[in-house]
């Protein structure tokens, strides 16, 4: 295993890397099912997702989408981890996991509709095993642990995976989830996308830990740090964590070291807290670039294929936008009817009162 070091924050911390920035694969570490054909398939998805992310940003700037959290630069972390999951596993996403959600079957038009302000975009098809997006930072790992423990009691051969950023690991809920997962050996994967910033706060200012991964040791289970821009390393680490979970060895914390190339959200101006030189230093590590370089070396990719995939993705996104904007407008009643399975009388009275109030406003 070869290490990758960021001298400013990761000195002496070994990190799993399989596919290097120059497109060179460490074959002895490569999972056998991650064939060249599979790499090519996943690269196509990464291209689509990069363009989908950019389209969402454009829609927000045009006033056709609300505040949006882009994931540009983090495609390998999300695609690689989602691709390594089993059919029955459940995903608990935060607000930046559009790529991972899409890979698990959430329609992109539903993701777009949600960020356009339509909660119906969180109503996924029944067969999709993805929980709704969690906006509060770091609260949903608790849900992932509880769900995993229920599955363990029912002897279901599945695991759960909770996605969060490096900032969430400084929150209390994260540590409560880690503690319960350690004590009860929950089949849960904690997947941290360490993109170097908790909004505008650098990682080194929000935790004194040398790595995020080492936090797992305090709770009695394993942690691993991977190059989060390396599709193969992320896939391999997630696959191993899943095997540990299903074999009764409990949870794993994966720290995927990556970099958010865009803003925290469309309401953020990253030029106020990081330099252009810093951004440019990460560009050679772009997850799409290294996969393309690898495929080109294998004679499985060329410029003509690149242009074809980009054109197909843009056409697909045109349909996605049309479908997202065609989602039915939510009704005022929906504020109330999805809170609980069966609406209690007090909530029903509140709904009637609110509807009467709206009718008065209409005159």
């Amino acid at each position: 295993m070869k290490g990758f070091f960021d001298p400013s924050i990761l000195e002496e911390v070994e990190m799993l890397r399989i596919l290097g920035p120059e497109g060179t694969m460490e074959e002895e570490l490569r999972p056998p099912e991650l064939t060249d054909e599979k790499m090519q398939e996943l690269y196509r998805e990464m291209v689509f997702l990069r363009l989908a992310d950019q389209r969402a940003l454009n829609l927000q700037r045009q006033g056709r989408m609300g505040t949006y959290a882009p994931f540009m630069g983090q495609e390998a972390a999300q695609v690689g981890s989602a691709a390594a999951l089993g059919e029955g596993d459940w995903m608990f996403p935060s607000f930046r996991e559009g790529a991972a959600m899409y890979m698990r079957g959430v329609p992109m038009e539903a993701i777009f509709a949600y960020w356009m302000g339509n909660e119906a975009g969180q109503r996924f098809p029944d067969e999709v095993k993805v929980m709704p997006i969690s906006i509060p930072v770091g609260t949903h790992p608790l849900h992932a642990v509880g769900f995993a423990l229920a599955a363990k009691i029912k002897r279901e051969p599945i695991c759960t995976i909770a996605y969060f950023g490096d900032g969430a690991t400084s929150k209390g809920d994260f540590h409560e989830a880690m503690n319960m997962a350690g004590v009860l050996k929950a089949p849960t994967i904690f997947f941290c996308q360490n993109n170097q910033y908790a909004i505008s706060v650098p990682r080194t200012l929000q935790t004194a830990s040398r790595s995020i991964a080492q936090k797992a040791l305090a709770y009695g289970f394993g942690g691993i740090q991977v190059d989060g821009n390396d599709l193969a390393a992320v896939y391999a680490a997630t696959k191993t964590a899943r095997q540990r979970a299903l074999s009764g060895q409990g949870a794993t914390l994966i720290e995927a070291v990556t970099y958010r190339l865009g803003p925290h959200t469309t309401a953020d101006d990253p030029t106020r807290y990081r330099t252009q030189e810093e951004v440019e230093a990460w560009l050679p590590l772009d997850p799409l670039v290294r996969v393309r370089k690898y495929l080109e070396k294998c004679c499985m990719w060329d410029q003509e294929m690149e242009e074809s995939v980009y054109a197909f993705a843009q056409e697909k996104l045109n349909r996605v936008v049309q479908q997202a904007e065609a989602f039915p407008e939510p009704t005022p009643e929906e504020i109330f009817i999805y809170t609980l399975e069966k609406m209690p009388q007090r909530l029903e009275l509140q709904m009637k009162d609110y509807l009467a109030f709206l009718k008065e406003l209409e005159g």
Side-chain angles (χ1 to χ4, degrees), residues 112 264 330:
F112 273 30
H264 171 70

Side-chain angles (χ1 to χ4, degrees), residues 28-340:
E28 68 273 18
L29 299 175
R30 176 181 181 171
E33 71 276 18
L34 198 58
T35 61
D36 288 348
E37 289 74 18
K38 186 68 176 177
M39 292 288 291
Q40 188 185 60
E41 174 191 329
L42 294 179
Y43 177 68
R44 291 176 187 272
E45 299 288 16
M46 291 169 72
V47 169
F48 171 72
L49 290 163
R50 172 68 60 92
L51 295 176
D53 194 56
Q54 293 173 347
R55 184 69 67 93
L57 273 170
N58 293 340
L59 289 169
Q60 194 278 335
R61 300 307 188 211
Q62 295 167 6
R64 297 162 68 186
M65 183 176 280
T67 302
Y68 173 73
F71 52 77
M72 184 172 65
Q74 300 179 212
E75 292 88 351
Q78 298 192 28
V79 171
S81 56
L85 296 177
E87 186 178 348
D89 300 337
W90 277 85
M91 176 180 290
F92 292 71
S94 180
F95 49 78
R96 202 185 302 283
E97 275 73 53
M101 293 169 66
Y102 173 79
M103 291 298 295
R104 290 292 288 171
V106 177
M108 186 56 73
E109 56 269 24
I111 297 172
F112 273 30
Y114 173 74
W115 291 111
M116 289 174 177
N118 196 325
E119 287 289 337
Q122 291 285 276
R123 197 180 304 147
F124 307 144
D126 290 344
E127 69 276 12
V128 173
K129 293 179 170 52
V130 178
M131 286 290 174
I133 292 171
S134 178
I135 298 295
V137 173
T139 58
H140 57 294
L142 285 163
H143 308 157
V145 171
F147 195 105
L149 290 173
K152 181 180 178 181
I153 291 169
K154 292 190 288 187
R155 299 183 184 280
E156 294 177 352
I158 67 161
C159 71
T160 61
I161 182 168
Y163 289 86
F164 47 86
D166 44 296
T169 67
S170 296
K171 299 287 293 288
D173 288 343
F174 165 78
H175 293 280
E176 292 172 18
M178 294 276 285
N179 188 55
M180 293 304 295
V183 170
L184 300 174
K185 286 193 177 299
T188 298
I189 302 170
F190 296 91
F191 194 92
C192 175
Q193 293 183 84
N194 173 9
N195 65 15
Q196 312 305 322
Y197 286 94
I199 306 182
S200 59
V201 180
R203 195 201 71 87
T204 50
L205 293 184
Q206 55 110 351
T207 178
S209 288
R210 181 171 290 176
S211 76
I212 301 294
Q214 72 186 66
K215 295 188 178 189
L217 300 179
Y219 299 103
F221 56 86
I224 182 171
Q225 191 177 62
V226 302
D227 180 347
N229 288 3
D230 175 352
L231 181 69
V234 171
Y235 179 94
T238 309
K239 177 187 172 184
T240 301
R242 182 175 186 273
Q243 290 170 339
R244 280 174 42 81
L246 268 58
S247 63
Q249 298 179 69
T252 301
L253 170 60
I254 299 174
E255 177 190 2
V257 179
T258 180
Y259 191 75
R260 164 168 54 78
L261 291 173
H264 171 70
T265 69
T266 47
D268 173 44
D269 177 7
T271 64
R272 296 174 66 88
Y273 54 84
R274 69 184 189 187
T275 65
Q276 185 59 30
E277 289 75 16
E278 178 185 307
V279 177
E280 290 177 359
W282 279 87
L283 290 180
L285 304 176
D286 188 310
L288 272 71
V289 171
R290 73 176 69 182
V291 178
R292 187 175 70 238
K293 285 181 176 178
Y294 172 75
L295 293 173
E296 288 172 347
K297 288 180 179 179
C298 298
C299 298
M300 294 187 67
W301 205 258
D302 57 29
Q303 187 59 32
E304 186 177 349
M305 296 174 74
E306 183 86 356
E307 292 172 1
S308 174
V309 167
Y310 269 73
F312 178 80
Q314 294 288 15
E315 288 183 12
K316 184 177 176 179
L317 283 167
N318 291 339
R319 296 192 296 274
V320 163
V321 174
Q322 289 176 355
Q323 292 166 347
E325 293 183 328
F327 262 57
E329 288 289 328
T331 63
E333 291 92 331
E334 291 182 45
I335 298 173
F336 301 89
I337 61 179
Y338 293 121
T339 305
L340 300 167

